[in-house]
Amino acid sequence: MMMVELTSVPSAALPVDALADHLRLSSGFADDGSQDAQLEGCLRSAMAAIEARIGKALIARQFSLTLSGWQSADAQVFPVAPVSSVESVKLINQAGDETIADPNSYVLRADPQRPRIEATASSFVQPPRGGSIEIELTAGYSTDWTGVPHDLHHAWLALAAEFYERVEPGPMPLPMAVLALIEPYRQIRLGGALA
């Protein structure tokens, strides 16, 4: 399984002004925007760290999921949530020829923890031997930061502020306050599989 981000989060969707206010950067000074690039970098890093931890996309964007075969004959769970739409399902043979699956042959189950597609018939059409399946989907809470759940919203700003204020290079564990806010969104794994 391989998942690739097809579209990136636009700069306008990031809460640069909210982070500046959170850090009180504009107190007593005119905002000349000189810190915007650094703030945006901190927000993108914090977003990536939180998304990796909880398996959720904060800002909506398109992804491509490539599989060598279906998880089961009639359902495929997505490794990211929440999923709002499935744009296409393609079966690809060894030569790279694509066959687009009939959109009526599957349905999206938009579960907040384990979204999946399910076959509307008894099972999915299998990819050709040596072939693959490519699913294009849109996942994320909102097209901008105002639609992100409030506790994740707060964790995002808090972690971005930590990145902004950090002086020492190298890896940094997530702060306990951030962990406390994001843990309810994390999927529990039992025996190596998602519960």
Side-chain angles (χ1 to χ4, degrees):
M1 178 186 320
M2 179 178 70
M3 193 165 75
V4 177
E5 192 174 304
L6 296 177
T7 57
S8 60
V9 174
S11 297
L14 297 172
V16 173
D17 291 340
L19 180 56
D21 289 345
H22 181 80
L23 293 166
R24 302 188 194 321
L25 292 181
S26 59
S27 297
F29 301 97
D31 182 9
D32 63 359
S34 63
Q35 297 291 311
D36 287 0
Q38 185 177 359
L39 295 175
E40 182 177 326
C42 293
L43 285 164
R44 288 186 186 279
S45 296
M47 181 176 65
I50 290 170
E51 288 180 344
R53 179 80 179 189
I54 64 174
K56 310 279 188 297
L58 299 182
I59 301 294
R61 54 204 187 272
Q62 288 188 310
F63 295 88
S64 174
L65 177 64
T66 303
L67 310 163
S68 56
W70 297 106
Q71 186 175 32
S72 71
D74 62 349
Q76 176 65 50
V77 175
F78 295 122
V80 66
V83 174
S84 58
S85 65
V86 173
E87 278 71 47
S88 67
V89 176
K90 299 174 190 171
L91 301 174
I92 305 169
N93 67 19
Q94 269 185 317
D97 299 322
E98 299 177 352
T99 302
I100 298 175
D102 179 359
N104 294 320
S105 68
Y106 57 86
V107 63
L108 170 65
R109 299 290 181 212
D111 184 275
Q113 292 293 335
R114 295 181 44 111
R116 62 194 177 279
I117 57 170
E118 295 177 351
T120 53
S122 59
S123 64
F124 288 120
V125 174
Q126 293 299 317
R129 184 178 174 91
S132 61
I133 304 155
E134 183 181 288
I135 304 170
E136 289 188 13
L137 58 105
T138 300
Y141 284 104
S142 176
T143 56
D144 65 26
W145 83 297
T146 59
V148 175
H150 188 70
D151 40 0
L152 290 178
H153 181 259
H154 186 69
W156 188 7
L157 287 179
L159 186 56
E162 288 280 336
F163 288 154
Y164 181 83
E165 294 170 350
R166 185 167 172 81
V167 177
E168 302 166 14
M172 174 185 90
L174 291 179
M176 290 303 294
V178 171
L179 286 173
L181 289 166
I182 67 175
E183 282 305 298
Y185 292 88
R186 195 165 173 220
Q187 292 185 33
I188 298 173
R189 294 181 181 268
L190 299 172
L194 292 173

